[in-house]
Structures are given as C-alpha cells and as structure tokens.
Amino acid sequence: MVPSLHCIRICNNTIIIWKLYYISTLVSELSSTNTYIKSNESVPNILSKHNSEISSFNIPISKLDLPTIYCIPKLHKSPYKFRYIANSSNCSTTSLSRHLTSALTAVKEHVAKYCETVLNRNDVNLFWSIKNSGDVIEKIKSRNFQANTIASYDFSNMYTTLPHDKINDQLFKLIKWCYNREGKTYICTSESKGFFSATEYKSYKSWTCSDVCSALSFLLDNIYVRFGEDLYKQVVGIPMVFFRVSA
C-alpha cells in the first residue's frame, strides 16, 4: 500500500512529505510545548466575541473565521526543521492586525529617528532593528567597518517563547513614550500605512494611545488556531507574521 503523501510548493521547490509524518509533526508542536493549550471554548462563541470587540474599534471584518495551522520545511537546515505558521491572512482578526501593524510601524519609525539623532550626536547606536540582510550590508558599508570575518546567528524559537505579559508591558511603555514625544493625539492608519497626527482623518482609522494598547492586548489574548476539529490557544509567544513589523 502506497502511503498518502502531502505536497508543498515553496518558490521553485516542490517538497513531498509523508502525510502521517506531517500530521504527527503538527500534533507534536501543539501538544509537547507550553506554547499552546487546547481550548474548550466553542468556535461560534469565540467568533461572537471577536465580532463584538473588533466592531468596537470600528474595524471591518472581512471573514468571520479562525486561522488554521500548518508547517513548511526549512530547506536550509540540516537536518530539515519545520516553520509553524498560523494561516491568518483572511480571518476575523486580519484587518485589525494589519491596522495595528501600521500603528506599530509608525512607532518603530519614531524610535528609529530618535536613535539616529542619538547616533549623530553621541556616536552611540541604540537601534538594532533590520528588515532583511540588505539592511545589514548597508549598515556595514555606511559605517565603514573593518572585520576579518562575519558570522550570522539565528533565534530558532524567539517568537514562540516571548511571554504575553512582557510583550504587553514593554510595548505599552514604548507606545506611550512615542505618543508623549510626538505630542500628538492620534496614530492614523490604513491597512498599509500609519502616521502620527494631531487631528483625525476621515479616510484613516484614528487611534489614541489607549486604543492602540487595547487593540494590542486584545490580539495577544485571542491567538487561536484550528487543527482538524480541535481548537488551540497560543498562550506564549506570537505566530510568525502576526505583526509584520521587523524585529
């Protein structure tokens, strides 16, 4: 009997995995770590709460559904490892997540400008956030660093080990600090753009500092994934691409 196979396409690569192994890998991730707990709440009840809470932020919901979880192999690892992803591109929290990402991007840009001023005045670099490897190359070129060797290191599970209370606490402080320094009441957002503003704009969602913190807390407390007929809640860390702001 030929075992059932699961095919995954990544860029120009096609990966064929024994389906039983693929399923057992997901089961292990969901049950053998402290990242997820099995939820006894019903899906309709959770979606009803999502609808009520997200509507209070005046954010539309394109699809009232919960994300599924899947995994893709990391082909650059030897032996291969898996990256676990919550398929949240079209679920009840998608639009709110995108707006919050725009707001946090505005916060990040403020921090970057502040750190650039500190660097220019005191030659002290306080900003270590990058988007990709291209940023690293540009930073090395701009600072004219001299080095015999360059090495790179990877956090294998950083996103899935951050405690929610610490995420809330540290981001709340940073968000409030940025609002105070800007001296403006709102961050105005669309799903693709965010900026600080003293006034509201009709074509944008306007967030006070309290609004941003409330939305962040709500999203962190409502990370659910479906796996078959079971429902799991992520209680430690955040899924990849939950917020699209670079680390």
Side-chain angles (χ1 to χ4, degrees), residues 49-61 92-93 95-97 99-100 172 187 189 200 204-220 222:
K49 289 194 299 183
H50 284 190
N51 189 39
S52 176
E53 289 290 335
I54 295 172
S55 295
S56 72
F57 292 115
N58 293 319
I59 297 293
I61 299 176
S92 56
T93 58
S95 186
L96 178 61
S97 178
H99 275 272
L100 187 57
F172 282 8
I187 293 180
T189 64
E200 299 182 69
Y204 290 89
K205 164 65 180 172
S206 299
W207 303 83
T208 64
C209 180
S210 177
D211 291 338
V212 174
C213 292
S214 295
L216 173 63
S217 183
F218 168 77
L219 283 176
L220 286 175
N222 283 271

Side-chain angles (χ1 to χ4, degrees), residues 111 133 144 194:
V111 174
S133 58
N144 195 28

Side-chain angles (χ1 to χ4, degrees), residues 146-200:
Q146 300 295 320
N148 294 323
T149 59
I150 296 178
S152 64
Y153 300 89
D154 183 25
F155 292 98
S156 61
N157 58 357
M158 179 179 70
Y159 283 101
T160 55
T161 57
L162 295 171
H164 286 182
D165 59 340
K166 291 190 179 298
I167 296 175
N168 266 326
D169 182 57
Q170 296 304 313
L171 280 181
F172 282 8
K173 290 177 181 177
L174 182 63
I175 291 166
K176 292 174 183 177
W177 179 79
C178 288
Y179 268 93
N180 289 336
R181 290 197 77 257
E182 282 283 349
K184 295 177 180 177
T185 307
Y186 306 105
I187 293 180
C188 297
T189 64
S190 64
E191 289 193 0
S192 59
K193 179 181 180 181
F195 56 91
F196 281 93
S197 174
T199 59
E200 299 182 69

Side-chain angles (χ1 to χ4, degrees), residues 75-102:
L75 299 180
H76 59 287
K77 298 288 186 179
S78 181
Y80 294 153
K81 295 183 179 181
F82 283 90
R83 175 177 288 116
Y84 300 92
I85 301 174
N87 184 20
S88 56
S89 60
N90 189 17
C91 65
S92 56
T93 58
T94 298
S95 186
L96 178 61
S97 178
R98 288 173 178 167
H99 275 272
L100 187 57
T101 293
S102 296

